[in-house]
Each structure stands twice: as structure tokens, then as C-alpha cells.
Amino acid sequence: MAHNHHRIATAGAWIGAVVVALVAGALPAAAAPVERGEAPGSLVMVLDSSGSMADDDGAGRTRMESARGAVGAVVDALPDGYPTGLRVYGADRTSGCADTRLVRPVEALDRDAVKRAVAGVRPKGDTPIGLSLREAAADLPGPEGGATGTRTVLLISDGEDNCGTPQPCRVAGQLTEADAGLRIDTVGFQVEGAAREQLQCIARAGNGRYYDAPDAAALARQLQRAAQLSAHGYRFEGKPVSGAASADGAPALLPGQYLDTIGPGESRYYAVGLESVSTVNFAATAVPQPGAAIGVSDGLRTAIVSADGANCDTSTERFHQREGATPLTSAVSRIPSEQGTRVCDRAGSYRLVVERESSGKGLDGSDGSDGSDGARWPVELVYGVEAPLAAGVTPAQSAPEYGAGGKQARLPAGSPKAVRGGTGFNDAALIGPGVWKDTVLPAQTLWYRVPAGWGQQVRYDVEFANEPTLKRATGTYSYGSTHLFTPARFPVGRGGGEFTPSTPYSGRPAAIRMGSVPVAWTNRYETRPAVRPVHAGGDFYLAVTLGARAAEIAENPRIGVVLRVAVLGDELAGPQHGAPVRAAEADGGTEADGGTEADGGTEADRGGGGNVDKAGNPAAAGDSSGAGGAGWTGIAAAAGAGALVITAGGLLFVRSRRGAAMRTTRGSA
């Protein structure tokens, strides 16, 4: 430990130099706090009002009457105030390819107003789909202040475009290529042949999904699914940043959370200055439109690269399915070796790298399958720095085995409690040990967070419900999946040999087991990818996904899901060898954390819901943004009497205590 103590003693001076260098250069990306707020999504429905909508739907009603009922069901199920509008085509003239009109502007949801608007529509004319799509995209308000959200065009049609120009599929591709937040879903009402093919093409080009509706009940069901996916899109947080295409010119980042976009085959580079003793974590979450076209081998790669080109760490995550896109997270770390002699242990300038691998366009520029999503994907980046242990602290041994948390672990039973999963890492629903129930849409991912501290491990099952299925769904399969992430957003579970993250789903009951090894500081020196990232306590994230093809299987718009969650083991007071079991009430800190006092808060906070210092003790109450409130989510500094660090508000002087290494603070971009 003597060598490590020397490195800690010199870290502050090096960080001071880095701070001066970074301040001397422009750092606009780190000049403001993390941006958060309501999800800036919106929806405009485009309803076919051409003459064929006056035809009988086979159940004694006209297709337009069925469409009115379906639109009413949609608005009844949307969240209060969600910006929603309605455009129609073919409603004003018996013929004419300019016949498209906004009958209800996109504004805070007024259910009665939308229902009145659709009740006044009478089917008459032609089917100018291409023009209507172009106008509908303009109807949607742009996100304010650079916010990222889903803007959805939902097209309902009983036939194909009969105007020819502009060509609908080409229009959809042009619109979504220019706007990463735009999504075009299509619903075919009693269509077949060329009409169905055109609507499928529009959805593929528009980064959306095609939903087949052979009858009125299916129309209402599929419209609800598409609209609710729009309303419950991923809630982004972070400071906008634009990564460089190469190491040269990469924008400088400080620890915090950022937002960027990435296209097929692209690489994005970001510059960081690292000292020699702290662990550095970098996670990138790509968020394509739910259910958008992807290939099995499409993926996201992250890397940390030194100034001389040494690859410190790299990781690639892939979809491993072709039903449709879901959020995809890849994460890497720079963990100093115990000897401190490797190239990547050195203080200096490094690059954080994100690469998007696409079967539509390889990283070498070669053409592949043309079925992959060609749109730019929003990417949420989290860069955190984790301070070393205080001098003289001996960490407990690593915990590389699942032990009591393996496949046969006993999980809670009893009646489930209702919970509503979040849209992503930032608003993941806080749950604890117990049985929980929720409902999930096809192509949707729900998010939850579970606090776990030193010595504890998360173990859970996900059960997909027995659902009424459609008669034509015989032999059709989708999938259910779950992924577990550490507080630093590292995926664990896949490749560990213990758990399989997905299962086929056909409407019959299906279950998945998932879990982590116990949290131990020295897990960082293990090599297995299911063990190495589990080296700090905090909020562990549970993501639950239902495949897009489930829309062809289940009768109900949503499918039931049950989570049985356990947090096994006593929480220890710190990472050190021989640490006692943590007391339920806040204490005055330990020698391992240099005497840092623990703040108050709820039991959930003390279990990892807020920031924790390097000994695992809470530093402040927090939310679920950033990296789960783990102690690594900030700028670590240690040098003599104090050190300068940059925060959102400017410079902060951090004073050391009893010569110990400084505790980390929450980083804010």
C-alpha cells in the first residue's frame, strides 16, 4: 500500500494542473448542470378519411366509425396533458392530392376536443399519404432548449397512397434522417398486398413499427400500443455535447452526464484528463426508436484509449435479436493496477470512444444488409471517477461466486404490489425486496432500481404472464428479456455462466432468472465480465423488455409482468476487511472513509439510493439520474490540505481530513 499512498499524495498536484489546463481551454460542455425535466414527446395521428373508409368493416359499422372509437380509446389511455394532435386526409373533397388538414393542433391533450374533431370527419376523397406525412412532421413542435424526446407520427390507413408524389416511403426516410427524435408508426386497417407492403415500408423508413389491424378490436389495441410507446419514451438527462470523429479535436469532458447522437458506422471521441490513482468509468446508452429495424450483430462499442493509442479497456454490446431495437448500453473502465506500472495507469490525456456497429454499414464503410435502422441514435453518456481507498485500508477479498444468489436462490412469495417502471436509467422506479407487478407493451423496456451495499447481491426473477392470444398467432414467438446494470451502468449477468437474459414468449407463462455476485471493492481486479464491474454499492438497475413481435400474439394492449426481488446478505459498513454489519441508523463514519459523517435520509437512501462515499456510506440524498448515486459519480481529489475541482457552479475547494483520500462528489456536466 505504500506505493499507492505515494500516488495519492501526488494526485492533487496533477489534478490542479489538469484543472488549470481545462479551464484555460474552452469547456462549454461542462459549463452547465445536467438538464432534466418532463419528457419532451408529442404525437400527431394521421387518419385516413378517403372514400374507402365509408366501407363496411365486416361487423356492421363503417371503417370510419371503428376508427373514431379507436381514436377515442387512444386519447383516454394517454397521460394527462401529453401533446397530441389529429390530421386527416381525403376528408374535404371527393378528389384531390392536396386534401390534407390539421383538425386538432398538437398541444396539451384535450380528450373531448380530439373526440369532437374526429367525430366531425366524413370520408370522401383520395389518399395523399406522402404529403400528409410531410405536413404531420411539421405539425409536431420541436423540443425546446435542445431537449431530446420522441416526436411520433401515427398513420392509420385502409389503403395505399394513390397520388404518387411525393412517394410516401421516401418521404418517411427523408424526415427521420433529418430528425433523430422523429418516429413514424403505421397501422394497416384491413389491408393486404401492396397497401400493407407500402405501410410496412413507411414504418421501416420512419424508424417505427407496422401494426396490422384486421378488425375494429385490433385497430383499437394497436393504436393504443403505438400511442403509449410515444408517450412513455426514454427520459433523457444530460448536457448536450458533440463528439469528434477522431481523437483530434475531441471535446473535453469533466465527470458528469452528457447527450450526443451517433449514426451507423460512426465513432465519437471525447477527451478527458486522468490522474494515476482513481478508477474511471464510462458508460454509453444508445436509445434507438423502440422496435426500429436492427440486425442481430448491430451493436455499440465503448473504449478508453491512452494518448499514445494504448487500448485500456473495450466492450461491445449487441442486440442478439432482430425483432426490433431496444436501449443498448456498453461500458468500460480504467482501473489502476495494484503495482501502478501499466501504460494506462499513468496520469495524462485519454480518449473516451463510442462506436456504432451496424449491419447496414460496417465500421469499414462496407455495405451490409439494408435492413438496419439508418437513423441517428441519441446516446446518453455517463463519465465518473471513483476515488481510491484511504491510505492504510485493506479491502475485503473479492466475491466472484454467486453462492446463495445463484439460480436456486429462494425469492419472495406472496401477493405482488403494483409498480410503474420508468422509461430509463434516469427515472427508474425505486423498488426493494418483495414481489412487484407491472404491465409492458410490445417493444417497450421498463426500468427499476434496487439499492444494494457492500457485501450484498441482487437476485430477481421476471415472470411474463399467461395472456389471451390471437387465433392467428399460433406458432408465432417473441421474447422477453432482462438486463441488470451496476450503479455505474455496467451490464452484468450475460456471459457469467449462471444466468440467461432472455426467454421465448408465445403468450404462455415464461420466466427469466437474473442476479449479481456480492458487491466487493476488490472485484475490480477479477477478469470475468459478470464480476469485475460489481465493485461499488448503490442503485442496481433492472431493465425488462418485451419483444416487438408480441404485438402479433397478445389480445390485450399490455402484457402482465411480475418481478420477485431479493437483496441477499447483510450490508457491511464499508469495503475494508473485517467491516462490521452496517447499523440501521446513520453513524459518524469509519476510518475507511476518513471520518466522513453520513447524512440522514430514508432507509432507501441509506441502502444506496443517494451518493455514497468511497467506503460505501451515503454522501447525500440523490435521485436516479447519473449513475445510481454510487460514490464514483464525481471528481475525486486528494492532496495535502486540499485540492481544487470543477463543479457545475465553478471551482470548489475540497479540504482533506486526517490525511485520508478525498471522498468523491457527484459529478455534474
Side-chain angles (χ1 to χ4, degrees):
M1 298 299 294
H3 177 73
N4 194 48
H5 179 70
H6 171 74
R7 293 164 68 200
I8 293 173
T10 60
W14 191 90
I15 290 175
V18 170
V19 168
V20 171
L22 291 176
V23 172
L27 252 180
V34 170
E35 296 178 356
R36 56 172 58 94
E38 293 302 311
S42 56
L43 167 70
V44 61
M45 291 176 279
V46 180
L47 178 61
D48 184 349
S49 303
S50 62
S52 59
M53 287 292 283
D55 293 348
D56 191 286
D57 71 352
R61 307 173 71 195
T62 67
R63 290 175 177 172
M64 180 56 73
E65 287 173 328
S66 294
R68 292 189 189 110
V71 169
V74 166
V75 297
D76 284 343
L78 285 173
D80 291 344
Y82 187 70
T84 304
L86 177 66
R87 172 173 286 275
V88 297
Y89 59 80
D92 294 334
R93 294 187 289 274
T94 56
S95 64
C97 288
D99 185 5
T100 179
R101 174 167 55 94
L102 185 66
V103 297
R104 180 64 190 171
V106 181
E107 56 190 26
L109 178 61
D110 183 331
R111 295 180 175 88
D112 290 338
V114 175
K115 292 176 184 178
R116 287 194 301 270
V118 75
V121 175
R122 298 292 181 267
K124 292 181 182 178
D126 287 322
T127 312
I129 293 178
L131 177 62
S132 297
L133 291 176
R134 186 174 290 167
E135 296 296 325
D139 295 335
L140 294 165
E144 297 180 2
T148 301
T150 300
R151 302 161 63 244
T152 302
V153 175
L154 176 52
L155 170 65
I156 308 105
S157 181
D158 74 342
E160 62 182 313
D161 182 287
N162 67 352
C163 289
T165 57
Q167 204 279 331
C169 205
R170 186 174 297 116
V171 168
Q174 292 169 345
L175 291 172
T176 52
E177 183 179 0
D179 185 350
L182 183 65
R183 171 189 181 90
I184 303 176
D185 289 322
T186 61
V187 179
F189 187 22
Q190 299 183 331
V191 298
E192 57 186 14
R196 178 181 290 162
E197 291 174 2
Q198 185 178 75
L199 293 172
Q200 290 172 333
C201 178
I202 292 169
R204 283 195 303 270
N207 305 320
R209 294 292 298 183
Y210 168 75
Y211 297 87
D212 201 46
D215 54 42
L219 180 63
R221 176 173 60 246
Q222 304 293 41
L223 283 181
Q224 286 184 61
R225 287 170 171 164
Q228 290 182 40
L229 271 181
S230 169
H232 299 288
Y234 191 101
R235 191 180 301 268
F236 292 93
E237 291 184 5
K239 179 67 180 176
V241 66
S242 183
S246 65
D248 296 335
L253 302 185
L254 292 178
Q257 190 161 316
Y258 299 87
L259 296 175
D260 202 349
T261 64
I262 191 166
E266 279 190 358
S267 299
R268 309 292 271 178
Y269 287 79
Y270 313 90
V272 294
L274 307 183
E275 35 80 1
S276 62
V277 297
S278 298
T279 292
V280 173
N281 298 300
F282 176 61
T285 299
V287 188
Q289 294 296 340
I294 45 94
V296 172
S297 61
D298 289 359
L300 194 70
R301 177 180 177 268
T302 50
I304 299 179
V305 181
S306 69
D308 56 4
N311 205 339
C312 303
D313 193 20
T314 182
S315 178
T316 302
E317 291 294 322
R318 304 189 189 280
F319 291 108
H320 296 289
Q321 49 84 18
R322 57 168 56 91
E323 284 189 33
T326 61
L328 193 64
T329 297
S330 176
V332 287
S333 60
R334 192 290 300 263
I335 299 175
S337 66
E338 294 179 279
Q339 296 75 27
T341 56
R342 298 183 309 184
V343 171
C344 292
D345 292 337
R346 300 171 185 166
S349 178
Y350 289 76
R351 296 295 183 269
L352 308 178
V353 187
V354 183
E355 295 178 352
R356 176 178 165 187
E357 299 182 3
S358 172
S359 55
K361 180 180 179 182
L363 292 178
D364 60 357
S366 61
D367 291 332
S369 166
D370 61 358
S372 295
D373 180 11
R376 300 190 66 80
W377 292 347
V379 182
E380 191 170 76
L381 311 172
V382 174
Y383 159 43
V385 178
E386 180 183 345
L389 294 176
V393 173
T394 301
Q397 290 184 342
S398 61
E401 304 300 329
Y402 288 96
K407 291 180 180 177
Q408 304 307 317
R410 294 185 60 185
L411 300 181
S415 299
K417 298 178 181 178
V419 65
R420 188 71 200 126
T423 67
F425 284 106
N426 304 303
D427 62 351
L430 177 62
I431 60 176
V435 185
W436 307 88
K437 65 179 180 180
D438 204 342
T439 57
V440 62
L441 295 163
Q444 186 179 37
T445 300
L446 299 176
W447 297 76
Y448 313 87
R449 54 191 175 102
V450 178
W454 298 112
Q456 294 184 310
Q457 63 189 126
V458 176
R459 173 70 173 84
Y460 68 99
D461 284 359
V462 179
E463 301 168 1
F464 294 92
N466 186 17
E467 288 284 339
T469 58
L470 303 171
K471 292 181 180 179
R472 64 183 184 280
T474 302
T476 302
Y477 282 86
S478 184
Y479 74 93
S481 70
T482 187
H483 291 87
L484 178 63
F485 300 88
T486 70
R489 299 191 179 185
F490 279 69
V492 296
R494 187 190 296 276
E498 185 75 10
F499 301 106
T500 301
S502 65
T503 183
Y505 183 70
S506 64
R508 304 294 294 171
I512 313 172
R513 298 165 175 165
M514 186 53 65
S516 73
V517 298
V519 178
W521 195 89
T522 44
N523 280 351
R524 70 192 65 213
Y525 299 123
E526 296 286 338
T527 58
R528 287 164 51 200
V531 177
R532 189 168 178 252
V534 190
H535 62 245
D539 287 348
F540 283 72
Y541 297 93
L542 287 56
V544 176
T545 300
L546 181 65
R549 197 174 295 150
E552 304 170 17
I553 297 172
E555 283 189 0
N556 296 322
R558 290 179 170 272
I559 287 81
V561 63
V562 170
L563 291 85
R564 301 184 186 276
V565 181
V567 178
L568 305 175
D570 293 325
E571 183 181 3
L572 304 179
Q576 68 271 27
H577 176 72
V581 173
R582 182 175 177 80
E585 67 277 3
D587 54 38
T590 66
E591 279 302 311
D593 67 18
T596 302
E597 290 85 11
D599 294 333
T602 65
E603 189 62 33
D605 292 333
R606 291 194 292 272
N611 292 347
V612 291
D613 62 24
K614 60 184 173 293
N617 299 318
D623 57 25
S624 60
S625 63
W632 63 269
T633 58
I635 306 167
L644 281 174
V645 298
I646 294 180
T647 68
L651 297 177
L652 171 69
F653 187 75
V654 181
R655 188 175 302 278
S656 65
R657 302 178 60 182
R658 295 207 293 270
M662 300 310 299
R663 77 183 216 183
T664 58
T665 60
R666 175 179 288 273
S668 185

